[in-house]
Amino acid sequence: MRDKNVTKAYYINKLGFKVFGSPDFDGYLMLEKDQIQIHFFEFKTLEPKENYGQVYIRTDHINDFYQSLLDNNTTIHPNGPLENKPWGQREFAVLDPDNNLLTFGQRI
């Protein structure tokens, strides 16, 4: 993450995560949603267009989660709308403010 406040706002307001642990730890952020925990380290010089960070997150209620993001006006990756994939997953993807690709999937 380049900016802790921007990252925190996106994950909380757009994806429904919550802060856990020490929210005031300098340069470090811990967020969770359901059984998922993501830890962020500050990287102020990160160039988002050169970032290739990727995370795959499995969920049990992909249709409901996807609809909640649409209802919250969360931007879905242009190449990542919700669809069934040939490898047996139902998936969609978003990009966070630092261009980290988050793919959410559920077994079909």
Side-chain angles (χ1 to χ4, degrees):
M1 68 181 171
R2 291 174 296 156
D3 184 311
K4 183 176 182 175
N5 291 326
V6 170
T7 298
K8 182 167 58 172
Y10 177 80
Y11 280 81
I12 290 172
N13 299 328
K14 292 297 186 179
L15 302 181
F17 279 75
K18 295 179 182 173
V19 174
F20 77 99
S22 176
D24 296 323
F25 193 72
D26 191 38
Y28 191 70
L29 176 64
M30 296 180 287
L31 299 169
E32 68 180 348
K33 178 176 178 58
D34 302 324
Q35 299 297 318
I36 301 160
Q37 295 181 351
I38 303 177
H39 295 225
F40 296 87
F41 295 90
E42 186 175 71
F43 185 20
K44 288 185 183 271
T45 60
L46 175 72
E47 178 55 51
K49 294 299 180 188
E50 295 176 8
N51 184 12
Y52 53 87
Q54 299 180 37
V55 177
Y56 193 97
I57 300 172
R58 294 187 187 272
T59 182
D60 292 328
H61 305 285
I62 194 131
N63 293 325
D64 294 338
F65 182 51
Y66 184 75
Q67 187 60 52
S68 75
L69 297 187
L70 294 177
D71 293 345
N72 197 28
N73 296 314
T74 303
T75 302
I76 305 302
H77 190 288
N79 297 324
L82 183 63
E83 62 185 4
N84 293 340
K85 301 293 187 176
W87 46 87
Q89 292 288 110
R90 185 159 174 77
E91 298 178 350
F92 73 92
V94 300
L95 288 171
D96 78 2
D98 293 313
N99 217 40
N100 293 300
L101 179 67
L102 304 170
T103 303
F104 296 90
Q106 179 178 347
R107 184 181 212 172
I108 299 174

